[in-house]
Amino acid sequence: DIQMTQSPSSLSASVGDRVTITCQASEDISSYLNWYQKKPGKAPKLLIYGASNLETGVPSRFSGSGSGTDFTFTITSLQPEDIATYYCQQYDNLYTFGQGTKLEIK
Amino acid sequence: QIQLVESGGGVVQPGRSLRLSCAASGITFSSHGMHWVRQAPGKGLEWVSVMWYDGNTKYYADSVKGRFTISRDNSKNTLYLQMNSLRPEDTAVYYCASSGGNAFDIWGQGTMVTVSS
């Protein structure tokens, strides 16, 4: 099974900050990685697919990069509505989510 | 309007069964792979199962293999999850999601399943 490890597990940042989350796969998954946003009581929302492709309608302050085993998710200018938990997900061999990164406003 | 609506959740005793449904509208249901994903209280997202658009190919997470069965009725635009031999650790919000390619781009609002005596 492919394991996905996100860091950090939680993060506190100020409005306007640049925020970066990393995701490491236990083996090479090429670019078979998605990123989701999850708010309490809401359904998850797809933000990035194929490691670096922005889903339609998602603000351009969100971006993703990486391939192989190491991936990065970035919010270039944090907004109050970005407070959520973010998950990476591999789809190279079935599907596995990372443990999540909880983002809070400082 | 594109929509997935889950139903069938509730409180059930350990060892009992429950069947979840996910009704789709606004999408060409028969062209989409369909998934179940769950989130236990205070925990992260866990992929549970997938059924490809053709209804023939299905996969399960090890945690539910042999106990849960995924199925779909393309004539009714509905996905199902039959959950047998339920355990307390199956307590979670269960989401259905459709995949365009391998990204879960449409999600339902979820249905809560509580396994408790």
Side-chain angles (χ1 to χ4, degrees):
Chain A
D1 294 4
I2 298 175
Q3 308 301 317
M4 306 301 294
T5 304
Q6 285 182 236
S7 61
S9 297
S10 63
L11 175 58
S12 182
S14 299
V15 172
D17 281 356
R18 180 184 183 93
V19 170
T20 298
I21 298 169
T22 64
C23 180
Q24 186 169 59
S26 60
E27 59 187 82
D28 189 330
I29 60 169
S30 185
S31 295
Y32 300 144
L33 186 99
N34 302 321
W35 289 95
Y36 298 87
Q37 178 190 66
K38 178 69 171 69
K39 296 181 178 181
K42 300 289 189 180
K45 178 183 178 182
L46 175 67
L47 301 178
I48 303 288
Y49 63 93
S52 60
N53 300 289
L54 193 67
E55 173 71 346
T56 302
V58 173
S60 59
R61 64 180 181 273
F62 296 99
S63 66
S65 64
S67 66
T69 60
D70 295 304
F71 301 86
T72 301
F73 173 81
T74 300
I75 307 173
T76 53
S77 178
L78 185 67
Q79 300 301 302
E81 60 266 31
D82 299 337
I83 297 313
T85 301
Y86 292 85
Y87 294 89
C88 62
Q89 176 213 34
Q90 68 81 22
Y91 56 92
D92 180 62
N93 182 0
L94 293 182
Y95 307 88
T96 313
F97 289 94
Q99 81 278 17
T101 296
K102 186 175 184 179
L103 181 55
E104 299 173 326
I105 290 286
K106 191 182 293 183
Chain B
Q1 181 185 1
I2 296 173
Q3 198 173 11
L4 299 176
V5 178
E6 302 93 339
S7 60
V11 180
V12 62
Q13 293 178 328
R16 302 298 290 267
S17 299
L18 208 58
R19 189 177 85 154
L20 305 183
S21 300
C22 169
S25 58
I27 64 171
T28 307
F29 183 76
S30 58
S31 300
H32 287 253
M34 295 296 298
H35 302 258
W36 290 100
V37 176
R38 68 185 181 183
Q39 185 174 34
K43 303 295 185 182
L45 299 174
E46 179 188 16
W47 174 79
V48 172
S49 183
V50 61
M51 175 166 268
W52 292 134
Y53 67 96
D54 60 2
N56 291 325
T57 304
K58 59 185 89 170
Y59 297 100
Y60 300 93
D62 287 344
S63 58
V64 306
K65 201 175 296 181
R67 300 187 299 122
F68 289 11
T69 302
I70 192 171
S71 62
R72 63 192 294 162
D73 185 338
N74 286 345
S75 69
K76 295 182 178 179
N77 289 352
T78 303
L79 177 74
Y80 303 99
L81 186 67
Q82 178 67 42
M83 304 186 295
N84 298 333
S85 302
L86 281 162
R87 304 167 179 169
E89 55 264 36
D90 295 319
T91 294
V93 176
Y94 284 74
Y95 297 96
C96 64
S98 76
S99 55
N102 279 291
F104 298 10
D105 54 354
I106 304 168
W107 294 72
Q109 287 303 302
T111 187
M112 182 71 202
V113 172
T114 302
V115 184
S116 173
S117 54

